[in-house]
C-alpha cells in the first residue's frame, strides 16, 4: 500500500516538472537557422567565385579552326590545371559548409563532393567533360537550395556558377594560368595571320617566330612555378615550336613540288616531292597560304606512280 501511495504522489510531480521544463522558442530556432544559412552563403560566395573563374579554362577550344594544330596537349594541360584548382576549392567549401551545419546546404555538399571527385587530375577528354558536368550539377544544386534558403530567412541569395559570381579576387587567382597558357598578343596576331589567304610565307614565318618567342618567354617566367603551371607553359612553348617547324616544312614541300615536278615531271625526284606534299596535306595544312598545295599536288602528281 505504501508503494502505491508513493507512486500516486510522485507521478503528478514528475508530470509537473516536465510541463515546467524549458519550452521551445520558435524565434530563437528561426534565428539559429538563419545564421546557419547566412554562414553557409558567406562560405559559398568566394568559393563559387573561384570555381566560376576557373571553369572556362577547363573547356577545351573547339576544332573549327582548320589550321589549328591537331595536338591540343597545351590546352589539355591547362584544363587539367584548372580542374585541379576547382577540385581544391570544392573540397574546402564542402568542409566549411559541414562546420556551418545548415540542413539547407546538404544537397550542395553532395554536389561539391561530386566536383572534388570528377575534377581530380582530369587528363583525358572524357574526364574533362565529366568535371564540367559536375560543375553544372553543382550550379543546379545551388538553384534548388535557394527556395529553402529564402524560407530560412537568408539575408542574401545563394551564389550561382557563372560570370556574375566572379569577383576581382577570384579573377586574380587565374592570372598565372592565363599567362602560362596564352595566347598572348603575338600568338593572337599569328593565329589571325595563318587564317589570312593573302598572307605571304615571310609574313607567316615572322609572325610565328614572334609567337614562339612569346611562348618561350612564358616558359622561362614559370620555370620555377608550381608543376601544373610550369607544365602548361612548357607545353605551350613546345607546341609553338612544333607549329613553326610544320610551317617551314610545308613551305619546303610547296617549293620542291613546283620546282622539281615542273622540270622532271616523271622523275623519282618528283615522286619524292609529291610524297612530301601529301604528308603535309594529310597532317593538316598549317595556314591558309598553303591551300594552293592541294591543287598543285593534284596537278603535278597525277602521273607519278
Amino acid at each position: 500500500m505504501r508503494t502505491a501511495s508513493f507512486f500516486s504522489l510522485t507521478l503528478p510531480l514528475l508530470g509537473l516538472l516536465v510541463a515546467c521544463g524549458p519550452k521551445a522558442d520558435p524565434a530563437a530556432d528561426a534565428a539559429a537557422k538563419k545564421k546557419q544559412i547566412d554562414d553557409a552563403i558567406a562560405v559559398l560566395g568566394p568559393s563559387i567565385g573561384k570555381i566560376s573563374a576557373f571553369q572556362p579554362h577547363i573547356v577545351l577550344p573547339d576544332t573549327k579552326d582548320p589550321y589549328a594544330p591537331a595536338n591540343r596537349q597545351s590546352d589539355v594541360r591547362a584544363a587539367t590545371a584548372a580542374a585541379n584548382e576547382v577540385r581544391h576549392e570544392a573540397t574546402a567549401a564542402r568542409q566549411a559548409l559541414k562546420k556551418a551545419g545548415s540542413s539547407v546546404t546538404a544537397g550542395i555538399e553532395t554536389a561539391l563532393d561530386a566536383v572534388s571527385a570528377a575534377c581530380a587530375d582530369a587528363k583525358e577528354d572524357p574526364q574533362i567533360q565529366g568535371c564540367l558536368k559536375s560543375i553544372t550539377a553543382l550550379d543546379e544544386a545551388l538553384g534548388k537550395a535557394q527556395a529553402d534558403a529564402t524560407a530560412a530567412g537568408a539575408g542574401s541569395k545563394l551564389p550561382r556558377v557563372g560570370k556574375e559570381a566572379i569577383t576581382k579576387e577570384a579573377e586574380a587567382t587565374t592570372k598565372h594560368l592565363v599567362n602560362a597558357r596564352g595566347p598572348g598578343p603575338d600568338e593572337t596576331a599569328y593565329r589571325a595571320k595563318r587564317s589570312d589567304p593573302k598572307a605571304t610565307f615571310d609574313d607567316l614565318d615572322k609572325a610565328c617566330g614572334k609567337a614562339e618567342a612569346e611562348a618561350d618567354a612564358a616558359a622561362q617566367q614559370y620555370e620555377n612555378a608550381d608543376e601544373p603551371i610550369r607544365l602548361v607553359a612548357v607545353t605551350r612553348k613546345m607546341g609553338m615550336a612544333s607549329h613553326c617547324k610544320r610551317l617551314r616544312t610545308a613551305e619546303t614541300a610547296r617549293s620542291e613540288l613546283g620546282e622539281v615536278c615542273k622540270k622532271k615531271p616523271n622523275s623519282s625526284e618528283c615522286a619524292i616531292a609529291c610524297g612530301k606534299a601529301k604528308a603535309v596535306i594529310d597532317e593538316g595544312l598549317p595556314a591558309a597560304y598553303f591551300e594552293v598545295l592541294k591543287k598543285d599536288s593534284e596537278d603535278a602528281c597525277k602521273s607519278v606512280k
Side-chain angles (χ1 to χ4, degrees):
M1 294 295 291
R2 287 182 179 177
T3 302
S5 298
F6 174 76
F7 279 109
S8 65
L9 290 170
T10 55
L11 283 173
L13 288 172
L14 287 170
L16 183 62
L17 288 172
V18 171
C20 294
K23 293 182 178 180
D25 184 346
D29 287 346
K33 288 181 179 179
K34 180 181 182 302
K35 184 179 184 309
Q36 286 177 339
I37 189 61
D38 283 342
D39 288 347
I41 291 174
V43 166
L44 285 168
S47 293
I48 298 302
K50 290 180 183 178
I51 290 172
S52 298
F54 278 105
Q55 182 190 29
H57 300 287
I58 302 174
V59 179
L60 294 174
D62 62 46
T63 55
K64 292 179 181 178
D65 182 352
Y67 310 114
N71 186 335
R72 299 190 295 169
Q73 194 58 37
S74 177
D75 292 319
V76 172
R77 291 280 194 192
T80 301
N84 277 326
E85 290 294 336
V86 166
R87 177 195 63 172
H88 291 314
E89 198 57 44
T91 300
R94 182 192 58 76
Q95 292 171 346
L97 284 183
K98 194 171 183 180
K99 290 180 181 178
S102 174
S103 60
V104 171
T105 61
I108 299 172
E109 290 176 43
T110 299
L112 286 166
D113 268 336
V115 171
S116 296
C119 296
D121 293 322
K123 296 178 180 178
E124 303 293 336
D125 189 70
Q127 293 173 304
I128 291 168
Q129 298 308 318
C131 173
L132 290 169
K133 287 180 181 178
S134 74
I135 296 173
T136 299
L138 169 61
D139 181 56
E140 291 171 354
L142 289 163
K144 289 178 182 178
Q146 183 57 58
D148 291 336
T150 300
S156 56
K157 287 187 176 183
L158 284 162
R160 299 292 298 270
V161 178
K163 290 182 179 180
E164 291 184 0
I166 304 175
T167 62
K168 289 183 179 179
E169 291 76 14
E171 189 70 32
T173 62
T174 68
K175 177 183 176 181
H176 295 307
L177 177 60
V178 171
N179 289 343
R181 180 183 190 176
D186 288 333
E187 187 175 345
T188 299
Y190 169 66
R191 291 184 182 187
K193 191 74 69 178
R194 75 185 182 197
S195 297
D196 181 2
K198 295 181 180 179
T200 66
F201 175 74
D202 286 342
D203 291 337
L204 288 166
D205 194 43
K206 288 177 183 177
C208 198
K210 287 183 179 180
E212 184 179 356
E214 183 179 66
D216 184 59
Q220 291 181 37
Q221 178 183 353
Y222 291 106
E223 185 177 4
N224 298 314
D226 291 340
E227 190 66 1
I229 297 299
R230 187 190 72 80
L231 284 174
V232 170
V234 167
T235 309
R236 173 189 171 191
K237 170 188 173 182
M238 293 171 63
M240 277 308 310
S242 175
H243 194 78
C244 291
K245 183 178 179 180
R246 284 183 59 230
L247 199 70
R248 290 154 196 156
T249 298
E251 176 62 4
T252 298
R254 189 196 68 79
S255 297
E256 288 183 0
L257 187 70
E259 293 173 6
V260 175
C261 291
K262 186 176 181 179
K263 295 177 180 177
K264 303 177 181 179
N266 297 312
S267 65
S268 59
E269 291 91 336
C270 180
I272 292 172
C274 286
K276 290 181 181 180
K278 184 177 184 303
V280 169
I281 294 168
D282 289 347
E283 187 179 4
L285 299 177
Y289 164 82
F290 293 105
E291 286 291 343
V292 69
L293 189 60
K294 294 178 181 178
K295 187 176 185 309
D296 288 350
S297 177
E298 187 177 323
D299 292 342
C301 304
K302 57 187 175 183
S303 60
V304 175
K305 296 181 180 180

